[in-house]
Amino acid sequence: MDTFTKKILKVLGIYIVFAVIVLILFQTVFMLSFIPTGSMESTIKTNSVVFSTMYDVDEEDLERYDILTFIAPDDPDVTYIKRLIGLPGETIEVKDGKVYADGVELEDSFIKDSQNHVGDGVYEVPEGCYFFMGDNRNNSKDSRFWNNPYVSVDDIQAKAKCIIFPFSDICSLSYD
């Protein structure tokens, strides 16, 4: 083989190794999600791409207001991204445009518009499960409307970290 061919094969080998490493990382550590709907507006706009991590979704890592991707309880072929509202063992009450956990009104500065009364009710979150709502409460198919309103910890896939596209919207999704 001549020198040029050896260089081409070396570069090709480096690219293949790099591609395999990236593929493995995105199967086990990281996740990219395309957001097709407005259920998380104003936090995440329609057609955005969100970068998430898969290593921090055990029960001890999850906190109220985290934005998580998970398998939809009513359709295992669908993945949703929503905000974690109800923790295991809590009673979540949605009434008069507000959300309460065990009688304490929850923060809602991230919601798009004042919440209407559709989906009002009381939800007893079982152990090992979570209750989710979209930030665009008036246009979100979330726990309030599913046949099974609770998401098992085993169905949670990743924790959203930041918006990476469109570039004009790049920002962290961590709740402070």
Side-chain angles (χ1 to χ4, degrees):
M1 262 192 265
D2 64 3
T3 306
F4 178 74
T5 305
K6 286 181 183 178
K7 286 182 180 180
I8 293 291
L9 289 175
K10 184 177 179 180
V11 169
L12 186 59
I14 290 170
Y15 281 119
I16 290 171
V17 168
F18 178 74
V20 168
I21 290 170
V22 168
L23 183 64
I24 290 170
L25 287 174
F26 276 94
Q27 291 293 318
T28 60
V29 180
F30 304 120
M31 176 185 254
L32 292 177
S33 301
F34 174 75
I35 311 304
T37 70
S39 71
M40 285 298 292
E41 301 250 0
S42 61
T43 306
I44 305 171
K45 294 179 184 170
T46 304
N47 298 324
S48 294
V49 176
V50 173
F51 174 81
S52 304
T53 54
M54 300 167 79
Y55 57 80
D56 54 353
V57 292
D58 293 327
E59 285 187 81
E60 63 271 4
D61 299 317
L62 302 179
E63 296 180 4
R64 188 183 327 276
Y65 308 122
D66 284 344
I67 298 174
L68 302 166
T69 59
F70 53 90
I71 297 168
D74 293 342
D75 187 353
D77 295 329
V78 175
T79 300
Y80 283 146
I81 185 165
K82 305 280 183 202
R83 191 174 297 273
L84 174 58
I85 297 298
L87 303 172
E90 288 185 330
T91 299
I92 300 299
E93 185 173 9
V94 181
K95 71 175 183 178
D96 300 327
K98 299 290 182 186
V99 181
Y100 303 85
D102 293 335
V104 177
E105 185 177 338
L106 297 182
E107 168 69 32
D108 68 357
S109 62
F110 41 77
I111 68 171
K112 182 174 181 176
D113 296 314
S114 296
Q115 184 176 323
N116 61 31
H117 301 289
V118 178
D120 280 7
V122 177
Y123 306 89
E124 302 284 338
V125 184
E127 290 300 323
C129 293
Y130 296 87
F131 185 89
F132 287 88
M133 295 176 77
D135 289 357
N136 187 358
R137 303 267 168 92
N138 298 331
N139 187 27
S140 177
K141 183 178 179 184
D142 54 39
S143 285
R144 298 170 294 164
F145 306 107
W146 302 329
N147 290 330
N148 176 8
Y150 311 108
V151 176
S152 167
V153 69
D154 297 331
D155 290 334
I156 296 174
Q157 297 175 320
K159 187 181 290 190
K161 297 296 184 182
C162 61
I163 297 169
I164 62 170
F165 186 83
F167 298 125
S168 60
D169 293 340
I170 291 175
C171 68
S172 171
L173 292 173
S174 297
Y175 181 81
D176 295 321

